[in-house]
Amino acid sequence: MVPPAILFSLVAIDIDAYKIPENLNQIYHDRRTGCKNVVASGLNNGTSASKPTQYCGDIAGALFISSAGGYGNMDVDCDGVSPTSGGCRNDPSKQSQTAFHDQFRQYDIGDLSAFVHPYVVFGNTNFDPQQYGMQPLSVMAVVCGGQLHYGIWGDTNGGSKTGEASLAMARLCFGSSMDANNGHNEADVLYIGFTGANAVPGRSAAWTTTTPEDFEQSIKPLGDLFVAGLKP
């Protein structure tokens, strides 16, 4: 039987996506056992078998989501200027604006599009990551399906629910079958948000692109820089 850590690395190589560097691979396996520095608790991952979920500050310069024996799941978020068709059809929770909609005029767009921008829903009614140094629209690393992807912190959740990302991010992670009615239920997605103003890509991000791949590629250099600085 192949040890889990080795299997995880093999999967990362086989999938056509960004390879997980060794320091992040080690973090992924080491932090599955739980959260030592809890910064917010009393949360859940919103599945039928919902697990107690926390925001953690175990990693210097970063925050991440942890649940019992794992991390987060990935429900599909369609908030923003996204159409109510295709992968976002029949989404009863869709909002016409994201949490940081007032910041997008400077980037020549009205708001995020769930079809184009791979964004992560991070933070809740009673937990604001800005209190721990994260900045809106900062780059985030997402370990999903044995691969590494980059997105931005683009929205927040009401109540206690965690584990949600845009349709663009869900499809980068798990393929075209993802939609508003079909997310990823396993709590094996590691969402890492980085602290500090330098984590915000600003105008270097391809905000006006029409493809998730182009947007992700535009923020990859910044994401790589922050991931390289993570200490296992």
Side-chain angles (χ1 to χ4, degrees), residues 9-21 142-150 169 171-175 213 216-217 220 224:
S9 298
L10 290 174
V11 171
I13 293 171
D14 290 340
I15 293 176
D16 184 20
Y18 302 135
K19 180 181 177 181
I20 302 171
V142 180
V143 178
C144 52
Q147 56 196 335
L148 169 62
H149 282 291
Y150 292 114
M169 176 60 79
R171 288 183 168 178
L172 286 173
C173 286
F174 300 110
E213 292 81 8
E216 182 178 31
Q217 188 64 32
K220 183 179 184 295
D224 284 345

PDB file of all heavy atoms in Angstrom, residues 9-21 142-150 169 171-175 213 216-217 220 224:
ATOM      1  N   SER A   9       1.548  13.146  -3.265  1.00  0.00           N
ATOM      2  CA  SER A   9       2.516  13.760  -4.152  1.00  0.00           C
ATOM      3  C   SER A   9       2.378  13.236  -5.559  1.00  0.00           C
ATOM      4  O   SER A   9       2.493  13.980  -6.536  1.00  0.00           O
ATOM      5  CB  SER A   9       3.938  13.509  -3.633  1.00  0.00           C
ATOM      6  OG  SER A   9       4.117  14.099  -2.363  1.00  0.00           O
ATOM      7  N   LEU A  10       2.129  11.928  -5.700  1.00  0.00           N
ATOM      8  CA  LEU A  10       1.979  11.341  -7.024  1.00  0.00           C
ATOM      9  C   LEU A  10       0.775  11.914  -7.746  1.00  0.00           C
ATOM     10  O   LEU A  10       0.836  12.228  -8.935  1.00  0.00           O
ATOM     11  CB  LEU A  10       1.845   9.821  -6.905  1.00  0.00           C
ATOM     12  CG  LEU A  10       3.102   9.057  -6.470  1.00  0.00           C
ATOM     13  CD1 LEU A  10       2.760   7.597  -6.270  1.00  0.00           C
ATOM     14  CD2 LEU A  10       4.219   9.207  -7.498  1.00  0.00           C
ATOM     15  N   VAL A  11      -0.331  12.056  -7.018  1.00  0.00           N
ATOM     16  CA  VAL A  11      -1.530  12.622  -7.626  1.00  0.00           C
ATOM     17  C   VAL A  11      -1.270  14.041  -8.096  1.00  0.00           C
ATOM     18  O   VAL A  11      -1.681  14.455  -9.179  1.00  0.00           O
ATOM     19  CB  VAL A  11      -2.706  12.595  -6.625  1.00  0.00           C
ATOM     20  CG1 VAL A  11      -3.892  13.378  -7.170  1.00  0.00           C
ATOM     21  CG2 VAL A  11      -3.110  11.158  -6.331  1.00  0.00           C
ATOM     22  N   ALA A  12      -0.525  14.809  -7.296  1.00  0.00           N
ATOM     23  CA  ALA A  12      -0.247  16.186  -7.655  1.00  0.00           C
ATOM     24  C   ALA A  12       0.536  16.269  -8.952  1.00  0.00           C
ATOM     25  O   ALA A  12       0.366  17.198  -9.742  1.00  0.00           O
ATOM     26  CB  ALA A  12       0.530  16.871  -6.522  1.00  0.00           C
ATOM     27  N   ILE A  13       1.424  15.297  -9.207  1.00  0.00           N
ATOM     28  CA  ILE A  13       2.223  15.292 -10.413  1.00  0.00           C
ATOM     29  C   ILE A  13       1.374  14.896 -11.613  1.00  0.00           C
ATOM     30  O   ILE A  13       1.503  15.448 -12.702  1.00  0.00           O
ATOM     31  CB  ILE A  13       3.415  14.329 -10.262  1.00  0.00           C
ATOM     32  CG1 ILE A  13       4.388  14.876  -9.208  1.00  0.00           C
ATOM     33  CG2 ILE A  13       4.143  14.130 -11.587  1.00  0.00           C
ATOM     34  CD1 ILE A  13       5.483  13.907  -8.838  1.00  0.00           C
ATOM     35  N   ASP A  14       0.462  13.962 -11.433  1.00  0.00           N
ATOM     36  CA  ASP A  14      -0.300  13.428 -12.548  1.00  0.00           C
ATOM     37  C   ASP A  14      -1.348  14.385 -13.072  1.00  0.00           C
ATOM     38  O   ASP A  14      -1.712  14.355 -14.241  1.00  0.00           O
ATOM     39  CB  ASP A  14      -0.984  12.113 -12.133  1.00  0.00           C
ATOM     40  CG  ASP A  14       0.020  10.995 -11.944  1.00  0.00           C
ATOM     41  OD1 ASP A  14       1.139  11.103 -12.469  1.00  0.00           O
ATOM     42  OD2 ASP A  14      -0.340  10.019 -11.265  1.00  0.00           O
ATOM     43  N   ILE A  15      -1.879  15.239 -12.228  1.00  0.00           N
ATOM     44  CA  ILE A  15      -2.958  16.137 -12.635  1.00  0.00           C
ATOM     45  C   ILE A  15      -2.362  17.372 -13.298  1.00  0.00           C
ATOM     46  O   ILE A  15      -1.352  17.908 -12.868  1.00  0.00           O
ATOM     47  CB  ILE A  15      -3.815  16.527 -11.414  1.00  0.00           C
ATOM     48  CG1 ILE A  15      -4.548  15.292 -10.895  1.00  0.00           C
ATOM     49  CG2 ILE A  15      -4.810  17.614 -11.763  1.00  0.00           C
ATOM     50  CD1 ILE A  15      -5.344  15.526  -9.645  1.00  0.00           C
ATOM     51  N   ASP A  16      -2.991  17.836 -14.378  1.00  0.00           N
ATOM     52  CA  ASP A  16      -2.512  18.977 -15.129  1.00  0.00           C
ATOM     53  C   ASP A  16      -2.862  20.262 -14.381  1.00  0.00           C
ATOM     54  O   ASP A  16      -3.822  20.949 -14.699  1.00  0.00           O
ATOM     55  CB  ASP A  16      -3.126  18.977 -16.527  1.00  0.00           C
ATOM     56  CG  ASP A  16      -2.574  20.093 -17.391  1.00  0.00           C
ATOM     57  OD1 ASP A  16      -1.493  20.608 -17.063  1.00  0.00           O
ATOM     58  OD2 ASP A  16      -3.232  20.438 -18.394  1.00  0.00           O
ATOM     59  N   ALA A  17      -2.085  20.573 -13.356  1.00  0.00           N
ATOM     60  CA  ALA A  17      -2.294  21.777 -12.558  1.00  0.00           C
ATOM     61  C   ALA A  17      -0.971  22.099 -11.888  1.00  0.00           C
ATOM     62  O   ALA A  17       0.050  21.494 -12.194  1.00  0.00           O
ATOM     63  CB  ALA A  17      -3.394  21.552 -11.528  1.00  0.00           C
ATOM     64  N   TYR A  18      -0.980  23.038 -10.978  1.00  0.00           N
ATOM     65  CA  TYR A  18       0.251  23.432 -10.321  1.00  0.00           C
ATOM     66  C   TYR A  18       0.674  22.367  -9.314  1.00  0.00           C
ATOM     67  O   TYR A  18      -0.117  21.930  -8.478  1.00  0.00           O
ATOM     68  CB  TYR A  18       0.074  24.778  -9.623  1.00  0.00           C
ATOM     69  CG  TYR A  18      -0.349  25.885 -10.557  1.00  0.00           C
ATOM     70  CD1 TYR A  18      -1.355  26.763 -10.200  1.00  0.00           C
ATOM     71  CD2 TYR A  18       0.261  26.055 -11.802  1.00  0.00           C
ATOM     72  CE1 TYR A  18      -1.752  27.785 -11.049  1.00  0.00           C
ATOM     73  CE2 TYR A  18      -0.128  27.058 -12.661  1.00  0.00           C
ATOM     74  CZ  TYR A  18      -1.133  27.924 -12.283  1.00  0.00           C
ATOM     75  OH  TYR A  18      -1.534  28.925 -13.128  1.00  0.00           O
ATOM     76  N   LYS A  19       1.927  21.981  -9.397  1.00  0.00           N
ATOM     77  CA  LYS A  19       2.457  20.981  -8.479  1.00  0.00           C
ATOM     78  C   LYS A  19       2.577  21.570  -7.072  1.00  0.00           C
ATOM     79  O   LYS A  19       2.977  22.717  -6.892  1.00  0.00           O
ATOM     80  CB  LYS A  19       3.820  20.506  -8.967  1.00  0.00           C
ATOM     81  CG  LYS A  19       4.458  19.460  -8.073  1.00  0.00           C
ATOM     82  CD  LYS A  19       5.827  19.059  -8.612  1.00  0.00           C
ATOM     83  CE  LYS A  19       6.510  18.060  -7.673  1.00  0.00           C
ATOM     84  NZ  LYS A  19       7.852  17.686  -8.181  1.00  0.00           N
ATOM     85  N   ILE A  20       2.231  20.782  -6.079  1.00  0.00           N
ATOM     86  CA  ILE A  20       2.323  21.216  -4.694  1.00  0.00           C
ATOM     87  C   ILE A  20       3.781  21.155  -4.241  1.00  0.00           C
ATOM     88  O   ILE A  20       4.390  20.083  -4.284  1.00  0.00           O
ATOM     89  CB  ILE A  20       1.457  20.336  -3.778  1.00  0.00           C
ATOM     90  CG1 ILE A  20       0.006  20.362  -4.236  1.00  0.00           C
ATOM     91  CG2 ILE A  20       1.557  20.797  -2.328  1.00  0.00           C
ATOM     92  CD1 ILE A  20      -0.871  19.358  -3.531  1.00  0.00           C
ATOM     93  N   PRO A  21       4.370  22.271  -3.814  1.00  0.00           N
ATOM     94  CA  PRO A  21       5.759  22.225  -3.336  1.00  0.00           C
ATOM     95  C   PRO A  21       5.869  21.433  -2.039  1.00  0.00           C
ATOM     96  O   PRO A  21       4.877  21.252  -1.318  1.00  0.00           O
ATOM     97  CB  PRO A  21       6.114  23.694  -3.134  1.00  0.00           C
ATOM     98  CG  PRO A  21       4.806  24.382  -2.955  1.00  0.00           C
ATOM     99  CD  PRO A  21       3.801  23.624  -3.762  1.00  0.00           C
ATOM    100  N   VAL A 142      -5.084  27.300  -2.500  1.00  0.00           N
ATOM    101  CA  VAL A 142      -6.105  26.278  -2.274  1.00  0.00           C
ATOM    102  C   VAL A 142      -5.541  24.933  -2.718  1.00  0.00           C
ATOM    103  O   VAL A 142      -5.192  24.752  -3.884  1.00  0.00           O
ATOM    104  CB  VAL A 142      -7.392  26.586  -3.064  1.00  0.00           C
ATOM    105  CG1 VAL A 142      -8.451  25.503  -2.811  1.00  0.00           C
ATOM    106  CG2 VAL A 142      -7.944  27.960  -2.686  1.00  0.00           C
ATOM    107  N   VAL A 143      -5.433  24.003  -1.772  1.00  0.00           N
ATOM    108  CA  VAL A 143      -5.011  22.636  -2.081  1.00  0.00           C
ATOM    109  C   VAL A 143      -6.273  21.802  -2.230  1.00  0.00           C
ATOM    110  O   VAL A 143      -7.048  21.655  -1.286  1.00  0.00           O
ATOM    111  CB  VAL A 143      -4.113  22.053  -0.979  1.00  0.00           C
ATOM    112  CG1 VAL A 143      -3.726  20.614  -1.300  1.00  0.00           C
ATOM    113  CG2 VAL A 143      -2.860  22.910  -0.806  1.00  0.00           C
ATOM    114  N   CYS A 144      -6.487  21.285  -3.436  1.00  0.00           N
ATOM    115  CA  CYS A 144      -7.734  20.595  -3.744  1.00  0.00           C
ATOM    116  C   CYS A 144      -7.481  19.503  -4.770  1.00  0.00           C
ATOM    117  O   CYS A 144      -6.785  19.734  -5.764  1.00  0.00           O
ATOM    118  CB  CYS A 144      -8.771  21.582  -4.278  1.00  0.00           C
ATOM    119  SG  CYS A 144      -8.181  22.609  -5.650  1.00  0.00           S
ATOM    120  N   GLY A 145      -8.004  18.321  -4.511  1.00  0.00           N
ATOM    121  CA  GLY A 145      -7.871  17.239  -5.468  1.00  0.00           C
ATOM    122  C   GLY A 145      -6.438  16.866  -5.773  1.00  0.00           C
ATOM    123  O   GLY A 145      -6.117  16.461  -6.888  1.00  0.00           O
ATOM    124  N   GLY A 146      -5.538  17.008  -4.803  1.00  0.00           N
ATOM    125  CA  GLY A 146      -4.145  16.657  -5.016  1.00  0.00           C
ATOM    126  C   GLY A 146      -3.374  17.646  -5.861  1.00  0.00           C
ATOM    127  O   GLY A 146      -2.380  17.286  -6.492  1.00  0.00           O
ATOM    128  N   GLN A 147      -3.824  18.899  -5.880  1.00  0.00           N
ATOM    129  CA  GLN A 147      -3.165  19.910  -6.687  1.00  0.00           C
ATOM    130  C   GLN A 147      -3.226  21.255  -5.972  1.00  0.00           C
ATOM    131  O   GLN A 147      -3.932  21.407  -4.971  1.00  0.00           O
ATOM    132  CB  GLN A 147      -3.835  20.005  -8.057  1.00  0.00           C
ATOM    133  CG  GLN A 147      -5.325  20.291  -7.990  1.00  0.00           C
ATOM    134  CD  GLN A 147      -6.052  20.014  -9.294  1.00  0.00           C
ATOM    135  OE1 GLN A 147      -5.448  20.046 -10.354  1.00  0.00           O
ATOM    136  NE2 GLN A 147      -7.341  19.750  -9.215  1.00  0.00           N
ATOM    137  N   LEU A 148      -2.483  22.222  -6.488  1.00  0.00           N
ATOM    138  CA  LEU A 148      -2.454  23.564  -5.913  1.00  0.00           C
ATOM    139  C   LEU A 148      -3.076  24.544  -6.899  1.00  0.00           C
ATOM    140  O   LEU A 148      -2.736  24.542  -8.086  1.00  0.00           O
ATOM    141  CB  LEU A 148      -1.004  23.972  -5.627  1.00  0.00           C
ATOM    142  CG  LEU A 148      -0.750  25.446  -5.270  1.00  0.00           C
ATOM    143  CD1 LEU A 148      -1.472  25.825  -3.980  1.00  0.00           C
ATOM    144  CD2 LEU A 148       0.747  25.707  -5.154  1.00  0.00           C
ATOM    145  N   HIS A 149      -3.978  25.376  -6.394  1.00  0.00           N
ATOM    146  CA  HIS A 149      -4.529  26.459  -7.205  1.00  0.00           C
ATOM    147  C   HIS A 149      -4.473  27.756  -6.414  1.00  0.00           C
ATOM    148  O   HIS A 149      -4.374  27.745  -5.187  1.00  0.00           O
ATOM    149  CB  HIS A 149      -5.970  26.156  -7.616  1.00  0.00           C
ATOM    150  CG  HIS A 149      -6.063  25.191  -8.756  1.00  0.00           C
ATOM    151  ND1 HIS A 149      -5.675  25.523 -10.031  1.00  0.00           N
ATOM    152  CD2 HIS A 149      -6.489  23.907  -8.812  1.00  0.00           C
ATOM    153  CE1 HIS A 149      -5.859  24.480 -10.839  1.00  0.00           C
ATOM    154  NE2 HIS A 149      -6.349  23.496 -10.122  1.00  0.00           N
ATOM    155  N   TYR A 150      -4.538  28.860  -7.150  1.00  0.00           N
ATOM    156  CA  TYR A 150      -4.529  30.178  -6.531  1.00  0.00           C
ATOM    157  C   TYR A 150      -5.819  30.918  -6.844  1.00  0.00           C
ATOM    158  O   TYR A 150      -6.337  30.861  -7.960  1.00  0.00           O
ATOM    159  CB  TYR A 150      -3.342  31.006  -7.029  1.00  0.00           C
ATOM    160  CG  TYR A 150      -2.011  30.477  -6.570  1.00  0.00           C
ATOM    161  CD1 TYR A 150      -1.088  29.957  -7.481  1.00  0.00           C
ATOM    162  CD2 TYR A 150      -1.667  30.486  -5.221  1.00  0.00           C
ATOM    163  CE1 TYR A 150       0.134  29.467  -7.067  1.00  0.00           C
ATOM    164  CE2 TYR A 150      -0.444  29.994  -4.794  1.00  0.00           C
ATOM    165  CZ  TYR A 150       0.449  29.484  -5.718  1.00  0.00           C
ATOM    166  OH  TYR A 150       1.659  28.995  -5.297  1.00  0.00           O
ATOM    167  N   MET A 169     -13.313  28.595  -9.292  1.00  0.00           N
ATOM    168  CA  MET A 169     -12.370  27.851  -8.461  1.00  0.00           C
ATOM    169  C   MET A 169     -12.779  26.387  -8.353  1.00  0.00           C
ATOM    170  O   MET A 169     -11.942  25.482  -8.440  1.00  0.00           O
ATOM    171  CB  MET A 169     -12.295  28.482  -7.062  1.00  0.00           C
ATOM    172  CG  MET A 169     -11.408  27.710  -6.085  1.00  0.00           C
ATOM    173  SD  MET A 169      -9.680  27.576  -6.616  1.00  0.00           S
ATOM    174  CE  MET A 169      -9.088  29.213  -6.159  1.00  0.00           C
ATOM    175  N   ARG A 171     -14.359  24.555 -10.446  1.00  0.00           N
ATOM    176  CA  ARG A 171     -14.090  23.819 -11.682  1.00  0.00           C
ATOM    177  C   ARG A 171     -12.597  23.660 -11.942  1.00  0.00           C
ATOM    178  O   ARG A 171     -12.182  22.663 -12.540  1.00  0.00           O
ATOM    179  CB  ARG A 171     -14.802  24.509 -12.849  1.00  0.00           C
ATOM    180  CG  ARG A 171     -16.313  24.288 -12.773  1.00  0.00           C
ATOM    181  CD  ARG A 171     -17.072  24.877 -13.950  1.00  0.00           C
ATOM    182  NE  ARG A 171     -18.456  24.390 -13.944  1.00  0.00           N
ATOM    183  CZ  ARG A 171     -19.378  24.758 -14.812  1.00  0.00           C
ATOM    184  NH1 ARG A 171     -19.081  25.647 -15.768  1.00  0.00           N
ATOM    185  NH2 ARG A 171     -20.604  24.265 -14.739  1.00  0.00           N
ATOM    186  N   LEU A 172     -11.780  24.628 -11.513  1.00  0.00           N
ATOM    187  CA  LEU A 172     -10.336  24.436 -11.598  1.00  0.00           C
ATOM    188  C   LEU A 172      -9.920  23.249 -10.738  1.00  0.00           C
ATOM    189  O   LEU A 172      -9.061  22.447 -11.126  1.00  0.00           O
ATOM    190  CB  LEU A 172      -9.599  25.696 -11.139  1.00  0.00           C
ATOM    191  CG  LEU A 172      -9.604  26.895 -12.080  1.00  0.00           C
ATOM    192  CD1 LEU A 172      -8.988  28.105 -11.382  1.00  0.00           C
ATOM    193  CD2 LEU A 172      -8.855  26.596 -13.368  1.00  0.00           C
ATOM    194  N   CYS A 173     -10.541  23.136  -9.572  1.00  0.00           N
ATOM    195  CA  CYS A 173     -10.180  22.070  -8.629  1.00  0.00           C
ATOM    196  C   CYS A 173     -10.730  20.706  -9.024  1.00  0.00           C
ATOM    197  O   CYS A 173     -10.022  19.699  -8.960  1.00  0.00           O
ATOM    198  CB  CYS A 173     -10.699  22.419  -7.235  1.00  0.00           C
ATOM    199  SG  CYS A 173      -9.795  23.720  -6.384  1.00  0.00           S
ATOM    200  N   PHE A 174     -12.013  20.667  -9.406  1.00  0.00           N
ATOM    201  CA  PHE A 174     -12.705  19.381  -9.519  1.00  0.00           C
ATOM    202  C   PHE A 174     -13.405  19.137 -10.853  1.00  0.00           C
ATOM    203  O   PHE A 174     -14.097  18.137 -11.010  1.00  0.00           O
ATOM    204  CB  PHE A 174     -13.716  19.247  -8.379  1.00  0.00           C
ATOM    205  CG  PHE A 174     -13.090  19.314  -7.013  1.00  0.00           C
ATOM    206  CD1 PHE A 174     -13.302  20.408  -6.184  1.00  0.00           C
ATOM    207  CD2 PHE A 174     -12.267  18.292  -6.573  1.00  0.00           C
ATOM    208  CE1 PHE A 174     -12.716  20.469  -4.927  1.00  0.00           C
ATOM    209  CE2 PHE A 174     -11.667  18.346  -5.317  1.00  0.00           C
ATOM    210  CZ  PHE A 174     -11.891  19.434  -4.493  1.00  0.00           C
ATOM    211  N   GLY A 175     -13.248  20.034 -11.807  1.00  0.00           N
ATOM    212  CA  GLY A 175     -13.767  19.766 -13.134  1.00  0.00           C
ATOM    213  C   GLY A 175     -15.113  20.395 -13.430  1.00  0.00           C
ATOM    214  O   GLY A 175     -15.762  21.005 -12.574  1.00  0.00           O
ATOM    215  N   GLU A 213      -8.423  30.529 -16.066  1.00  0.00           N
ATOM    216  CA  GLU A 213      -7.022  30.136 -16.226  1.00  0.00           C
ATOM    217  C   GLU A 213      -6.121  31.362 -16.358  1.00  0.00           C
ATOM    218  O   GLU A 213      -5.039  31.411 -15.753  1.00  0.00           O
ATOM    219  CB  GLU A 213      -6.869  29.223 -17.447  1.00  0.00           C
ATOM    220  CG  GLU A 213      -7.520  27.863 -17.306  1.00  0.00           C
ATOM    221  CD  GLU A 213      -9.027  27.864 -17.563  1.00  0.00           C
ATOM    222  OE1 GLU A 213      -9.564  28.922 -18.003  1.00  0.00           O
ATOM    223  OE2 GLU A 213      -9.666  26.828 -17.334  1.00  0.00           O
ATOM    224  N   GLU A 216      -5.918  33.119 -12.922  1.00  0.00           N
ATOM    225  CA  GLU A 216      -5.056  32.381 -11.993  1.00  0.00           C
ATOM    226  C   GLU A 216      -3.588  32.549 -12.362  1.00  0.00           C
ATOM    227  O   GLU A 216      -2.734  32.735 -11.484  1.00  0.00           O
ATOM    228  CB  GLU A 216      -5.434  30.898 -11.985  1.00  0.00           C
ATOM    229  CG  GLU A 216      -4.605  30.094 -10.999  1.00  0.00           C
ATOM    230  CD  GLU A 216      -5.000  28.633 -10.936  1.00  0.00           C
ATOM    231  OE1 GLU A 216      -5.456  28.092 -11.970  1.00  0.00           O
ATOM    232  OE2 GLU A 216      -4.840  28.028  -9.864  1.00  0.00           O
ATOM    233  N   GLN A 217      -3.276  32.481 -13.643  1.00  0.00           N
ATOM    234  CA  GLN A 217      -1.894  32.627 -14.079  1.00  0.00           C
ATOM    235  C   GLN A 217      -1.345  34.001 -13.712  1.00  0.00           C
ATOM    236  O   GLN A 217      -0.163  34.140 -13.370  1.00  0.00           O
ATOM    237  CB  GLN A 217      -1.796  32.410 -15.595  1.00  0.00           C
ATOM    238  CG  GLN A 217      -0.375  32.348 -16.126  1.00  0.00           C
ATOM    239  CD  GLN A 217       0.413  31.161 -15.592  1.00  0.00           C
ATOM    240  OE1 GLN A 217      -0.157  30.102 -15.335  1.00  0.00           O
ATOM    241  NE2 GLN A 217       1.708  31.333 -15.407  1.00  0.00           N
ATOM    242  N   LYS A 220      -0.377  33.898 -10.013  1.00  0.00           N
ATOM    243  CA  LYS A 220       0.492  32.792  -9.616  1.00  0.00           C
ATOM    244  C   LYS A 220       1.855  33.254  -9.094  1.00  0.00           C
ATOM    245  O   LYS A 220       2.332  32.725  -8.076  1.00  0.00           O
ATOM    246  CB  LYS A 220       0.683  31.812 -10.766  1.00  0.00           C
ATOM    247  CG  LYS A 220       1.532  30.590 -10.400  1.00  0.00           C
ATOM    248  CD  LYS A 220       1.674  29.636 -11.578  1.00  0.00           C
ATOM    249  CE  LYS A 220       2.428  28.368 -11.181  1.00  0.00           C
ATOM    250  NZ  LYS A 220       3.833  28.634 -10.800  1.00  0.00           N
ATOM    251  N   ASP A 224       3.004  32.019  -5.546  1.00  0.00           N
ATOM    252  CA  ASP A 224       4.207  31.205  -5.387  1.00  0.00           C
ATOM    253  C   ASP A 224       5.138  31.801  -4.332  1.00  0.00           C
ATOM    254  O   ASP A 224       5.747  31.078  -3.540  1.00  0.00           O
ATOM    255  CB  ASP A 224       4.961  31.100  -6.714  1.00  0.00           C
ATOM    256  CG  ASP A 224       4.312  30.140  -7.698  1.00  0.00           C
ATOM    257  OD1 ASP A 224       3.443  29.340  -7.281  1.00  0.00           O
ATOM    258  OD2 ASP A 224       4.681  30.177  -8.882  1.00  0.00           O
TER     259      ASP A 224
END
